[in-house]
Amino acid sequence: MKFIKKSYVAFILLIMYAPVAILMVYSFNDSKLPIWKGFTLRWYEEIFKDYSIQQAFSNTILVAVVSSIIATIIGTFAAIGIERMTGWKKSLVMNVTYIPLLSSEIVTGVSLMLLFGALGMTPGISTLILSHITFSIPYVILSIMPKLKQLNYNIYEAALDLGAKPSYAFRKVILPEILPGVLAGLFIAFTLSIDDFIISFFNTGPGVDTLSIKVFSMTRKGVAPTINAISTIMFGTIIIILITTNIMASKKQKKINKSNKSL
């Protein structure tokens, strides 16, 4: 049975990651055709020589950094507020939070585009950042909620009773306890922003491309090796973020376990 289970898992992973592995291999192929003709780095060199790709990369990083930070701040305080609610109010707000996660991205993208148009906002980097903040907040909230459920609010109230200001008690009591969830939400928001295409496509303006939009426009002329190189860089970045998140969460959990044992 163990062999069957392991084989099944290996088969699923193979189906999931074989296309990505092939893409990464061909990003080092010294040919524009899907026929291996030798190892090369020239497609990566062309990326750094192409100004339009560099600009798309700069826009992607700018939008991802700004939107993930703002979404994390808003999502953190929203999660704390939701956790302090009780009864039907909490259930209602949580159900509303789930709606953006369950609805189609094209619905979210079009609705945000119509909203920005009704507000008279010119499509561009600002609407792109606002749209990414909007769809990232629910993920941040759901990343922090489990940590808030484990939090002992009596410690926070004790700090207030001892004369600590709410802001100081939050920084010294609540934030250290929920920090793994906050960081997880931050990295998830950053990853989703880098990866997003549909919502970005509907809410960007002329001359403001992200990497996903740039890759889409390049594929109209066929799948060039530079597309493989860009996709490999994006995939590698996301993997690094996920590994970093897991390592940080693991270290934090070990510290918590050690402190619990010492008590």
Side-chain angles (χ1 to χ4, degrees):
M1 286 298 293
K2 288 184 178 180
F3 175 76
I4 295 175
K5 290 179 180 179
K6 290 181 179 180
S7 301
Y8 177 74
V9 172
F11 178 70
I12 296 299
L13 292 174
L14 179 65
I15 293 175
M16 290 174 59
Y17 293 106
V20 179
I22 293 172
L23 179 146
M24 295 174 70
V25 169
Y26 277 112
S27 69
F28 299 101
N29 184 23
D30 192 16
S31 173
K32 292 185 177 181
L33 300 175
I35 302 172
W36 184 260
K37 288 191 176 181
F39 182 86
T40 183
L41 292 174
R42 66 177 175 137
W43 309 120
Y44 290 89
E45 293 173 0
E46 286 190 12
I47 290 175
F48 295 103
K49 292 178 182 178
D50 192 324
Y51 175 76
S52 63
I53 294 177
Q54 293 178 17
Q55 190 63 41
F57 176 78
S58 299
N59 292 336
T60 301
I61 297 300
L62 174 64
V63 172
V65 170
V66 175
S67 64
S68 60
I69 291 174
I70 296 176
T72 302
I73 294 172
I74 296 173
T76 300
F77 288 105
I80 294 172
I82 294 171
E83 180 60 26
R84 300 296 285 174
M85 291 180 178
T86 56
W88 66 269
K89 293 181 180 179
K90 183 176 181 179
S91 300
L92 177 63
V93 175
M94 284 302 300
N95 289 330
V96 171
T97 303
Y98 285 122
I99 292 175
L101 305 179
L102 300 175
S103 63
S104 173
E105 282 194 359
I106 193 169
V107 174
T108 304
V110 172
S111 60
L112 286 171
M113 179 185 67
L114 294 175
L115 175 63
F116 295 141
L119 295 175
M121 298 179 65
T122 303
I125 198 73
S126 59
T127 56
L128 200 56
I129 291 174
L130 288 173
S131 62
H132 281 226
I133 292 172
T134 301
F135 75 74
S136 296
I137 289 176
Y139 291 95
V140 175
I141 293 174
L142 295 178
S143 297
I144 298 173
M145 289 298 290
K147 290 296 179 182
L148 287 171
K149 292 183 183 298
Q150 301 172 4
L151 182 65
N152 186 358
Y153 281 96
N154 292 329
I155 302 176
Y156 172 75
E157 293 174 357
L160 296 179
D161 292 338
L162 292 172
K165 294 182 179 180
S167 58
Y168 183 84
F170 170 77
R171 286 187 286 109
K172 295 297 183 179
V173 178
I174 295 180
L175 187 58
E177 293 296 323
I178 65 172
L179 188 59
V182 174
L183 292 177
L186 175 66
F187 285 124
I188 289 173
F190 184 82
T191 303
L192 290 172
S193 179
I194 289 178
D195 187 56
D196 179 75
F197 167 72
I198 297 176
I199 295 176
S200 299
F201 182 79
F202 283 103
N203 292 281
T204 189
V208 183
D209 289 338
T210 61
L211 279 176
S212 57
I213 296 175
K214 181 65 179 176
V215 168
F216 174 75
S217 63
M218 292 172 67
T219 54
R220 295 179 179 179
K221 301 177 183 178
V223 181
T226 49
I227 296 177
N228 296 336
I230 294 171
S231 301
T232 300
I233 292 173
M234 292 178 68
F235 181 78
T237 302
I238 292 172
I239 291 298
I240 291 171
I241 292 172
L242 291 175
I243 292 173
T244 304
T245 304
N246 290 329
I247 291 174
M248 294 178 68
S250 178
K251 287 182 178 180
K252 183 68 177 179
Q253 190 61 45
K254 287 181 180 178
K255 289 181 180 179
I256 293 172
N257 293 337
K258 285 182 179 180
S259 63
N260 291 336
K261 288 180 179 179
S262 61
L263 295 174

